[in-house]
């Protein structure tokens, strides 16, 4: 590529350098294997294959059919699901397909409030979900910062939603899927679990599976699961036809066969003992990081984490989420500002940050490294770049960060 397109070759090289040179704490990101990247960069990208294996609208699908069948069979085995659709281009596309399969425009959908951790596709006005459907938001409890299951039930009885959604983008705790199932049954609603964030923990046995409880589970394949950027749907057999039609032809055209092959690779990797111990380490590392940040004077929302991510309340530091994100960036640490429940600050500022352990665990970091990571983040947040001493500290921290990641680099040179 360096000869044919030096500009883009330089972008790719620079991004690899960025991944190797800093700490990646964005909770929704991971570092895929070379085998996943090889499938993504393969000739399968060329193939049109509208339809499903054995039922295509194009000729020449004999090989891509094998890839998609392998992906489907591996997903079903990995998650114990009756049906799998591996075609959604992304998590948001998978979610659009869920609405298409199970609701009509205007229907009420009960989901986690966005400022309390829900996703844009759970009813935000800036997404199709809030424009075309009637969102009913539920919340976390003010004292415990855990999902308020009493409120979920009360709202379900009051609004009789077509769909109830469990799952979020910034919720650090396990979810009581059985409680959601009982509420859905009581009001005859579809139970949809959006497992975009934590499906990788489920794959590795580090979190209880929503599959036995949910009518449909949507997920991404690129977060903890460590596959290619993409989405998928798991469902009960009775919903298989509705789910498949909702993906193609209702919301998508030709599937990305290179991405589907890469999903198959990731499912195979996730079925190994090695991945199971990875998933366990991800959870241990997130807990260690949350504890380290608490000892730096920050507060972990809900008191900690059961998953790969922690939501950190910075109120006691007097530093906003936006400032913290930028200070950490200057120290070579990539993370994101995030609203905390009942956040008095606007979403562009926030009083919190979200941190995740998936990428650093892939690099081989353990709990003792996480204590050091917590100290780097704590010192970066406390360093005001408007002052000479702050700027100097951030410079020194970026050197410490580079030294730490060089011990266990991302994508180590062979
Ligand atoms: C990440 C995420 C999505 C969207 O996935 P994309 O691939 O970014 O479209 C949907 N729902 C939840 C809960 C998520 O965390």
């Amino acid at each position: 590529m360096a000869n044919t397109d030096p500009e883009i070759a330089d972008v790719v090289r620079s991004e690899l350098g960025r991944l190797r040179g800093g700490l990646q704490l964005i909770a929704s990101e991971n570092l895929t294997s070379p085998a996943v990247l090889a499938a993504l960069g393969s000739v399968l990208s060329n193939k049109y294959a509208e339809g499903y294996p054995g039922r295509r609208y194009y000729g020449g699908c004999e090989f891509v059919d094998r890839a998609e069948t392998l992906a489907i069979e591996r997903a079903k085995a990995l998650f114990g699901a009756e049906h799998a659709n591996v075609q959604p281009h992304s998590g948001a596309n998978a979610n659009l397909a869920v609405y298409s399969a199970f609701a009509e425009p205007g229907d009420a959908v009960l989901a986690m409030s966005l400022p309390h951790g829900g996703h844009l596709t759970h009813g935000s006005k800036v997404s199709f979900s809030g424009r075309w459907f009637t969102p009913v938001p539920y919340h976390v409890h003010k004292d415990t910062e855990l999902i308020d299951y009493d409120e979920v039930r009360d709202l379900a009885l009051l609004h009789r939603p077509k769909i109830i959604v469990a799952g979020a983008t910034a919720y650090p705790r396990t979810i009581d899927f059985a409680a959601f199932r009982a509420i859905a049954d009581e009001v005859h609603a579809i139970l949809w679990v959006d497992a975009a964030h934590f499906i990788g923990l489920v794959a590795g046995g580090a979190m209880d599976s929503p599959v036995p409880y949910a009518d449909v589970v949507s997920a991404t394949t690129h977060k903890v699961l460590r596959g290619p950027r993409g989405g998928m749907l798991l469902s009960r057999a009775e919903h298989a036809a509705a789910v498949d039609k909702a993906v193609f032809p209702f919301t998508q055209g030709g599937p990305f066969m290179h991405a589907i092959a890469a999903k198959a690779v990731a499912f195979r990797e996730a079925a190994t003992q090695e991945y199971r111990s990875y998933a366990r380490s991800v959870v241990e590392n997130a807990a260690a990081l949350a504890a380290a940040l608490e000892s730096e004077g920050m507060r972990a929302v809900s008191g900690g984490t059961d998953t790969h991510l922690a939501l950190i309340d910075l109120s006691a530091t007097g530093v906003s989420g936006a400032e913290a994100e930028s200070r950490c960036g200057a120290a070579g640490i990539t993370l994101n500002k995030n609203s905390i429940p009942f956040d008095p600050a606007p979403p562009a500022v926030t009083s919190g940050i979200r941190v995740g352990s998936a990428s650093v665990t892939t690099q081989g970091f353990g709990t003792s490294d996480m204590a050091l990571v917590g100290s780097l983040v704590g010192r970066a947040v406390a360093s005001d770049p408007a002052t000479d001493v702050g700027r100097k500290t951030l410079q020194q921290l970026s050197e410490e960060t580079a030294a730490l990641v060089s011990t266990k680099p991302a994508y180590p040179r062979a």
Side-chain angles (χ1 to χ4, degrees):
M1 184 162 50
N3 289 333
T4 52
D5 192 335
E7 289 165 295
I8 288 296
D10 186 56
V11 170
V12 175
R13 228 183 355 257
S14 299
E15 174 63 6
L16 180 58
R18 188 188 70 81
L19 289 174
R20 283 176 173 155
L23 272 169
Q24 313 306 326
L25 297 183
I26 294 195
S28 49
E29 293 181 1
N30 210 331
L31 304 162
T32 58
S33 71
V36 166
L37 292 177
L40 280 176
S42 72
V43 293
L44 300 187
S45 172
N46 296 319
K47 191 72 199 89
Y48 244 111
E50 281 177 339
Y52 289 99
R55 300 175 276 141
R56 304 286 192 185
Y57 291 83
Y58 288 85
C61 288
E62 56 270 33
F63 300 116
V64 291
D65 269 8
R66 266 166 55 193
E68 185 163 351
T69 302
L70 281 167
I72 291 168
E73 292 308 321
R74 287 176 185 174
K76 284 164 67 177
L78 184 60
F79 297 107
E82 293 174 0
H83 179 67
N85 186 307
V86 295
Q87 290 193 3
H89 301 328
S90 68
N93 275 42
N95 291 356
L96 174 58
V98 172
Y99 285 90
S100 310
F102 297 105
E104 293 296 330
D107 280 347
V109 176
L110 180 60
M112 183 96 143
S113 152
L114 195 68
H116 285 208
H119 190 258
L120 285 168
T121 54
H122 297 175
S124 164
K125 286 291 169 209
V126 299
S127 133
F128 70 88
S129 58
R131 282 267 295 280
W132 297 341
F133 300 90
T134 307
V136 179
Y138 62 82
H139 304 88
V140 298
H141 198 278
K142 188 144 195 161
D143 301 330
T144 59
E145 297 174 311
L146 303 176
I147 292 171
D148 184 346
Y149 294 94
D150 293 333
E151 188 202 25
V152 176
R153 180 168 177 268
D154 290 346
L155 290 171
L157 289 166
L158 185 64
H159 294 277
R160 299 271 157 182
K162 186 69 84 59
I163 302 175
I164 299 177
V165 193
T169 195
Y171 186 69
R173 294 301 189 171
T174 50
I175 295 172
D176 187 346
F177 302 121
F180 271 104
R181 180 75 253 171
I183 296 166
D185 283 344
E186 203 175 344
V187 299
H188 305 290
I190 290 287
L191 178 59
W192 160 26
V193 175
D194 183 347
H197 255 276
F198 58 78
I199 194 75
L201 297 179
V202 174
M207 187 172 168
D208 284 346
S209 174
V211 170
Y213 301 98
D215 291 282
V216 61
V217 174
S218 65
T220 64
T221 49
H222 52 272
K223 297 182 181 175
V224 184
L225 189 53
R226 209 163 60 185
R229 182 159 298 281
M232 71 168 162
L233 292 163
L234 305 168
S235 79
R236 296 183 173 179
E238 64 186 284
H239 302 310
V243 162
D244 285 354
K245 277 190 241 165
V247 176
F248 173 83
F250 198 80
T251 58
Q252 290 190 173
F256 296 175
M257 297 314 306
H258 58 308
I260 289 171
K263 288 172 192 175
V265 173
F267 297 149
R268 184 182 169 120
E269 290 175 356
T272 60
Q273 198 51 47
E274 200 182 339
Y275 184 86
R276 290 182 80 80
S277 55
Y278 164 72
R280 197 174 345 104
S281 299
V282 166
V283 173
E284 287 166 2
N285 282 342
L289 179 56
L293 292 172
E294 289 212 306
S295 64
E296 293 289 322
M298 307 169 188
R299 190 183 72 86
V301 168
S302 81
T305 177
D306 307 317
T307 64
H308 61 297
L309 71 86
L311 197 54
I312 305 298
D313 176 2
L314 302 175
S315 304
T317 68
V319 178
S320 73
E323 283 169 324
E325 177 184 308
S326 123
R327 291 177 187 188
C328 287
I333 304 163
T334 307
L335 49 72
N336 61 281
K337 64 177 176 285
N338 212 106
S339 294
I340 57 171
F342 309 99
D343 200 327
V349 180
T350 81
S351 306
I353 51 173
R354 189 184 65 162
V355 292
S357 57
S359 290
V360 289
T361 307
T362 294
Q363 280 177 252
F365 279 49
T367 48
S368 57
D369 299 306
M370 300 318 281
L372 192 46
V373 171
S375 141
L376 289 168
V377 171
R379 285 183 285 154
V381 169
S383 301
D384 183 354
T387 66
D388 279 346
V389 61
R391 274 195 302 278
K392 225 157 118 202
T393 309
L394 289 171
Q395 175 56 37
Q396 189 190 319
L397 287 170
S398 75
E399 285 158 25
E400 282 184 48
T401 299
L404 175 62
V405 297
S406 73
T407 62
K408 294 172 179 115
Y411 296 109
R413 291 171 180 83

